[in-house]
């Protein structure tokens, strides 16, 4: 049985004003070899949108148009959890993330074009970034050559969105989520809860997290497949928005950890996930295949110029895409 608050929580997803991520606007050790994909044509591009967006949104489609204009011949696949755009949008807030990723894995593996490609590239916006990373770790068929993420919550969020003073609906949602974060219901139904991570309460996180603790390989028993699949990436570029106040902390885009009391930032390279190479990040970094980039502005404020620059650098066809 669903909690009493479930019905208004469902209705709340129809209001974009309180969503913690914003839809895109239309434009005018042992070293695993990098994936080698000799090709004169651009690889297909997987795009996973953020919370509150849907795979048919005009802003997202303009990203695909820009990718093709920058690298002619690019086939872009917009990842969706449901073919109905409204249901796909709702699924960005309500649903079991692990089940959603499994469906995406099956859909991509069965796609008539993607399934025949030797590899694909990946572009993740906000929460879509860590979801694409989960695809790589858990499935990777076809394998991802280069992954680029913008403002993603790779190390989770330590705060849910702050509500405006007069937004009672948002305030009710926030109160419910804060007090029920580690319940089975929240960890299997409320998407943001599944990548919530409070550095001051790691014990509860490791015990109850349905998604993030697993894909970050933070529990005692490690999944080596996750590490090996990530080490196969040709490049992994992580963009952090310089003025991001939507995602807290913004440094999560780099896998950094921020103390919620002192605001002290522990960089990725100083954390155990890096030192012990739990998901292959140290291996990528040592091979110069891990990039830390900055996107100026607030969360998901993307310029056409930055996207073109990104598409040229990371997704352009290359006859010798291997890293020596």
């Amino acid at each position: 049985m669903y909690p009493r608050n479930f019905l208004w929580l469902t209705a709340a997803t129809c209001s974009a004003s309180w969503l913690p991520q914003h839809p895109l606007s239309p434009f005018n050790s042992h070293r695993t070899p990098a994936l080698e994909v000799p090709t004169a044509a651009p690889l297909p591009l997987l795009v996973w949108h953020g919370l509150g967006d849907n795979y048919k949104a005009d802003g997202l489609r303009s990203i695909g148009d820009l990718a093709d204009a920058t690298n002619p011949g690019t086939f872009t696949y917009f990842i969706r959890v449901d073919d109905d755009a409204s249901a796909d949008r709702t699924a960005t807030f309500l649903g079991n993330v692990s089940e959603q990723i499994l469906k995406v894995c099956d859909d991509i593996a069965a796609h008539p074009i993607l399934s025949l490609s030797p590899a694909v590239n990946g572009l993740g916006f906000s929460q879509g970034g860590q979801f694409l990373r989960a695809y790589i770790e858990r499935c990777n068929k076809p394998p991802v050559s280069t992954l680029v993420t913008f403002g993603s919550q790779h190390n989770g969020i330590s705060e849910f969105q702050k509500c405006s003073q007069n937004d009672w609906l948002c305030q009710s949602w926030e109160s419910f989520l804060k007090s029920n974060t580690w319940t089975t219901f929240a960890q299997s139904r409320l998407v943001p809860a599944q990548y919530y991570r409070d550095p001051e309460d790691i014990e509860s996180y490791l015990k109850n997290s349905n998604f993030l603790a697993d894909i970050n390989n933070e529990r005692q028993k490690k999944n080596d497949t996750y590490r090996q699949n990530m080490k196969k990436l040709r490049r992994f570029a992580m963009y952090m928005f310089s003025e991001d106040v939507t995602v807290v902390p913004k440094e999560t885009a780099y896998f950094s950890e921020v103390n919620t009391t002192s605001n002290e930032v522990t960089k990725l390279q100083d954390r155990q996930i890096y030192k012990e190479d739990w998901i292959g990040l140290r291996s990528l970094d040592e091979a110069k295949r891990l990039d830390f980039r900055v996107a100026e502005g607030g969360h998901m404020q993307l310029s056409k110029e930055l996207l073109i620059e990104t598409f040229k650098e990371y997704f352009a066809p290359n006859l010798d895409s291997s890293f020596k």
Side-chain angles (χ1 to χ4, degrees):
M1 180 178 294
Y2 294 139
R4 293 172 58 189
N5 294 341
F6 178 70
L7 291 179
W8 61 256
L9 277 171
T10 303
T13 63
C14 296
S15 172
S17 62
W18 57 271
L19 290 171
Q21 299 163 31
H22 306 293
L24 290 163
S25 299
F27 293 105
N28 290 329
S29 62
H30 170 73
R31 183 172 173 182
T32 302
L35 189 67
E36 296 188 19
V37 189
T39 177
L43 294 173
L45 178 62
L46 306 179
V47 178
W48 203 323
H49 59 79
L51 194 154
D53 217 340
N54 74 82
Y55 81 102
K56 285 187 175 180
D58 291 341
L60 203 66
R61 295 287 162 161
S62 70
I63 298 292
D65 294 340
L66 189 61
D68 184 54
T70 306
N71 298 310
T74 299
F75 171 78
T76 301
Y77 177 79
F78 301 96
I79 292 175
R80 75 293 307 259
V81 175
D82 196 292
D83 288 335
D84 177 78
S86 178
D88 183 59
R89 180 178 181 273
T90 298
T92 66
F93 185 82
L94 296 175
N96 185 305
V97 176
S98 291
E99 291 178 358
Q100 292 178 354
I101 289 168
L102 180 60
K103 181 184 185 305
V104 168
C105 289
D106 290 342
D107 289 347
I108 292 174
H111 192 277
I113 295 176
L114 299 175
S115 62
L116 298 178
S117 180
V120 295
N121 288 321
L123 176 63
F125 295 115
S126 204
Q127 71 177 21
Q130 62 260 30
F131 296 169
L132 258 177
R133 177 164 62 86
Y135 164 84
I136 294 170
E137 294 180 17
R138 293 178 174 177
C139 334
N140 216 29
K141 294 181 181 179
V144 173
S145 175
T146 294
L147 174 64
V148 176
T149 62
F150 280 95
S152 296
Q153 301 85 45
H154 288 299
N155 196 50
I157 54 174
S158 58
E159 288 186 17
F160 297 110
Q161 182 195 13
K162 290 181 172 61
C163 303
S164 61
Q165 186 175 359
N166 298 320
D167 192 343
W168 66 267
L169 185 61
C170 177
Q171 291 172 3
S172 297
W173 167 82
E174 181 183 33
S175 176
F176 173 84
L177 198 50
K178 283 184 175 179
S179 60
N180 291 274
T181 299
W182 300 124
T183 63
T184 300
F185 172 80
Q187 287 299 315
S188 62
R189 291 291 185 271
L190 304 182
V191 172
Q194 294 168 65
Y195 53 83
Y196 179 81
R197 184 184 187 277
D198 182 357
E200 307 305 306
D201 188 14
I202 292 298
E203 183 177 349
S204 295
Y205 164 73
L206 292 177
K207 180 180 178 181
N208 299 292
S209 174
N210 175 57
F211 172 69
L212 190 68
D214 177 69
I215 66 160
N216 282 3
N217 242 352
E218 293 184 85
R219 295 191 171 102
Q220 185 174 2
K221 185 177 181 180
K222 310 300 181 189
N223 189 325
D224 193 56
T225 298
Y226 292 179
R227 184 168 65 96
Q228 296 301 332
N229 281 354
M230 286 291 291
K231 286 168 63 176
K232 293 175 184 176
L233 282 171
R234 173 181 176 267
R235 297 282 289 278
F236 180 12
M238 302 175 291
Y239 282 82
M240 178 183 72
F241 290 99
S242 62
E243 306 300 322
D244 199 335
V245 294
T246 300
V247 173
V248 179
K250 67 180 182 181
E251 293 84 359
T252 184
Y254 289 165
F255 284 92
S256 296
E257 183 166 289
V258 179
N259 186 291
T260 55
T261 302
S262 66
N263 289 323
E264 179 182 358
V265 178
T266 302
K267 293 182 178 181
L268 169 63
Q269 289 83 351
D270 295 323
R271 301 184 59 220
Q272 292 304 112
I273 190 175
Y274 180 92
K275 293 178 179 179
E276 298 180 6
D277 212 21
W278 292 349
I279 56 171
L281 297 175
R282 190 189 71 192
S283 295
L284 291 174
D285 196 23
E286 291 176 347
K288 302 186 185 307
R289 296 179 355 227
L290 185 65
D291 297 339
F292 300 82
R293 297 296 179 89
V294 175
E296 298 297 332
H299 190 67
M300 295 309 300
Q301 292 182 359
L302 290 164
S303 69
K304 181 178 180 180
E305 292 72 24
L306 175 59
L307 286 170
I308 291 174
E309 175 186 307
T310 300
F311 295 162
K312 285 181 177 179
E313 179 173 0
Y314 292 107
F315 301 145
N318 193 326
L319 290 175
D320 182 14
S321 63
S322 64
F323 274 63
K324 304 300 183 184

